[in-house]
Amino acid sequence: MTPATQKIEALLFLAGEPVSKAELAKLLGENKQNIDQALQELSGALTDHGLSLVQTDTLIELVTSPAVANTLAQWWQDEEKLSKAAAETLAIIAYRGPLARYDIDVIRGVDSRHSLRQLQRRGLIRRAAGATATTRYEITEEFLKHLGLTGRQQLPQFDQLSAQEKLPL
Amino acid sequence: MAESLPSIKLSTYEGPFDLLLELAQARKLDLTTVSLKEMTEAFLEYLKTNLIRPQLLGDFLVVASSLLLLKVRHLLPRQEASEPEVEQLTDRLRIYRLYREQAEKIRQGWGQCILISRGVFAPQACLPAVNADDLAKHVQHIIARLPKPPQPALYTPARGRTLQECLRVFQERLTQASRLIFQKEVASANRHTAAVSFLAVLELARQQHVALQQETMCGELVISRPL
């Protein structure tokens, strides 16, 4: 493992919560490319480990791995289920995010305001950073963690369903 | 023989698209313009016998009107340009179906395999031996040390006229004069009283106790006793 990767591993452990790549770059005095490379190395090194990296577009977090989830379930369970409306909204944001409420409404055929508020309250979505006039929503690491995924790309048929243009209708 | 009302159930569908997909599935129909026309009756029937949540009603009605438009165009010769929203309905339904499928998978798999971060409070963490009385004592202690909140000053807002009072005033004035000009009556009143007076005048007109006349826009409003 390169020194940079080791430091990142330690920092993520210390943080115990999602950290942004930009933050890591600043703390370690490295550029974005090196950070990305180090993260890839770390991810690879953690294969078959009890820990894994969960990543959204902006943040990374060191968490327990899917392999041990079953065992840990006896100490940690989240009873709160997802409603149909919540799941629909989440699915759309997970595959096509970050996107604005209007775009979600067009797909669902209903006003999603209520669902969006609930999902934000539960920490499963958040407002995407960036200089756009309208608020756009993206999924959070919490969302991925609840599904046992370490990245959006692991969602079934991610490539086909995330494409903006051609959808398999 | 008393007619019984149709039984109204609370709708469990998340929206009009949800309903359409269910209808299509139940009848083993594809999502095409043709089958949408066939489902229009059932869709409208559903709206009649089910209580739709008010927040969703608008969305249901939009889809209902799109379906009706499809049916109507089928019957009438096509002369106007087609409405893109209606044409796109089948596409939109298909897109919605794709994500609805994934949503169901997400729902099923939710919480089945949870990844946990370090910050989580483990239920078996060690706490110092503290009992409830100790905690209560400490909390009292903290409360006693908090600065006292400032007493709110007594503030009574200036009281304006009530609607009843204004009604009485105008009715009395009308016994003294057969014709009043609203702007003159409220010339010396403050904004609140003027607004309430206006409401009173409208109410009197509604009850046909007075007749109102106004020659020009925002001109003098003449209040008179009806003939």
Side-chain angles (χ1 to χ4, degrees):
Chain A
M1 233 191 230
T2 63
T5 313
Q6 283 180 330
K7 290 178 197 161
I8 290 181
E9 190 182 29
L11 283 173
L12 289 176
F13 170 77
L14 281 180
E17 61 178 19
V19 179
S20 75
K21 299 187 198 177
E23 182 110 29
L24 285 175
K26 204 166 63 160
L27 286 169
L28 299 177
E30 299 270 3
N31 65 39
K32 186 177 179 296
Q33 259 170 316
N34 290 351
I35 298 289
D36 282 332
Q37 230 172 353
L39 284 172
Q40 258 198 322
E41 205 196 343
L42 182 56
S43 200
L46 289 174
T47 341
D48 293 336
H49 274 232
L51 298 179
S52 58
L53 278 185
V54 67
Q55 297 191 43
T56 55
D57 293 341
T58 40
L59 304 175
I60 354 152
E61 196 179 357
L62 188 62
V63 294
T64 57
S65 73
V68 297
N70 258 331
T71 321
L72 297 177
Q74 51 187 302
W75 295 297
W76 180 251
Q77 264 156 8
D78 194 344
E79 298 301 330
E80 203 176 350
K81 300 276 174 229
L82 280 184
S83 68
K84 273 170 71 176
E88 267 178 27
T89 313
L90 273 178
I92 295 169
I93 298 177
Y95 282 95
R96 300 179 73 107
L99 77 174
R101 174 171 67 79
Y102 174 76
D103 297 314
I104 302 171
D105 291 352
V106 161
I107 296 179
R108 291 188 65 211
V110 286
D111 191 310
S112 306
R113 249 181 289 235
H114 181 69
S115 298
L116 287 172
R117 267 201 299 270
Q118 300 277 58
L119 291 172
Q120 276 190 285
R121 192 181 51 79
R122 285 177 70 173
L124 299 175
I125 61 172
R126 62 170 164 243
R127 298 192 172 178
T132 45
T134 44
T135 311
R136 302 198 302 164
Y137 296 95
E138 61 182 15
I139 40 121
T140 61
E141 301 70 38
E142 277 310 307
F143 168 77
L144 293 171
K145 283 152 70 180
H146 273 81
L147 285 178
L149 304 174
T150 53
R152 279 214 279 174
Q153 312 77 341
Q154 292 173 358
L155 287 166
Q157 294 182 284
F158 183 75
D159 288 328
Q160 298 99 303
L161 295 178
S162 64
Q164 296 300 316
E165 295 295 329
K166 291 245 128 224
L167 286 171
L169 291 179
Chain B
M1 185 180 86
E3 239 187 33
S4 58
L5 293 168
S7 61
I8 306 266
K9 313 187 291 283
L10 182 59
S11 168
T12 53
Y13 289 109
E14 294 301 329
F17 285 10
D18 195 12
L19 172 57
L20 277 179
L21 286 188
E22 285 297 325
L23 288 175
Q25 206 171 14
R27 288 137 193 252
K28 304 203 192 321
L29 291 173
D30 281 332
L31 294 177
T32 60
T33 320
V34 170
S35 53
L36 278 187
K37 289 196 288 246
E38 280 182 43
M39 294 192 274
T40 307
E41 290 295 333
F43 189 87
L44 293 175
E45 186 59 34
Y46 184 86
L47 286 189
K48 269 195 277 191
T49 54
N50 285 265
L51 210 57
I52 312 282
R53 283 206 297 280
Q55 310 94 300
L56 301 179
L57 202 50
D59 297 311
F60 271 93
L61 291 178
V62 165
V63 172
S65 50
S66 298
L67 292 174
L68 285 172
L69 189 58
L70 274 179
K71 277 201 100 157
V72 160
R73 274 225 244 101
H74 175 70
L75 299 169
L76 300 176
R78 260 160 124 213
Q79 292 186 329
E80 308 93 55
S82 59
E83 304 222 3
E85 241 181 55
V86 178
E87 298 305 322
Q88 286 168 4
L89 191 54
T90 49
D91 279 345
R92 286 178 67 194
L93 282 171
R94 291 196 203 129
I95 294 177
Y96 171 69
R97 184 169 55 184
L98 288 174
Y99 293 105
R100 200 173 77 131
E101 268 167 26
Q102 297 307 326
E104 192 50 35
K105 287 195 210 155
I106 289 176
R107 261 187 99 206
Q108 300 295 338
W110 193 252
Q112 299 295 323
C113 174
I114 303 184
L115 312 182
I116 314 165
S117 50
R118 190 181 65 83
V120 162
F121 180 79
Q124 287 134 332
C126 321
L127 286 173
V130 175
N131 63 37
D133 290 322
D134 283 339
L135 278 177
K137 232 179 5 175
H138 286 296
V139 170
Q140 299 271 26
H141 195 47
I142 294 173
I143 292 176
R145 284 163 54 191
L146 288 173
K148 299 273 175 287
Q151 289 299 335
L154 273 174
Y155 169 69
T156 31
R159 199 179 149 287
R161 286 259 174 86
T162 66
L163 188 63
Q164 271 66 27
E165 287 173 357
C166 286
L167 280 169
R168 273 202 301 277
V169 164
F170 274 99
Q171 279 167 330
E172 237 190 70
R173 286 286 292 131
L174 279 172
T175 60
Q176 299 161 353
S178 60
R179 196 172 168 281
L180 301 173
I181 298 186
F182 178 76
Q183 283 84 341
K184 293 219 174 78
E185 296 297 311
V186 298
S188 55
N190 62 32
R191 272 180 65 164
H192 171 92
T193 309
V196 178
S197 302
F198 186 62
L199 284 174
V201 165
L202 290 179
E203 179 60 19
L204 287 172
R206 189 183 74 81
Q207 293 174 8
Q208 298 183 338
H209 290 315
V210 300
L212 297 179
Q213 259 179 302
Q214 194 175 38
E215 299 290 311
T216 60
M217 202 165 75
C218 296
E220 285 188 338
L221 178 62
V222 180
I223 309 164
S224 50
R225 269 176 287 169
L227 302 165

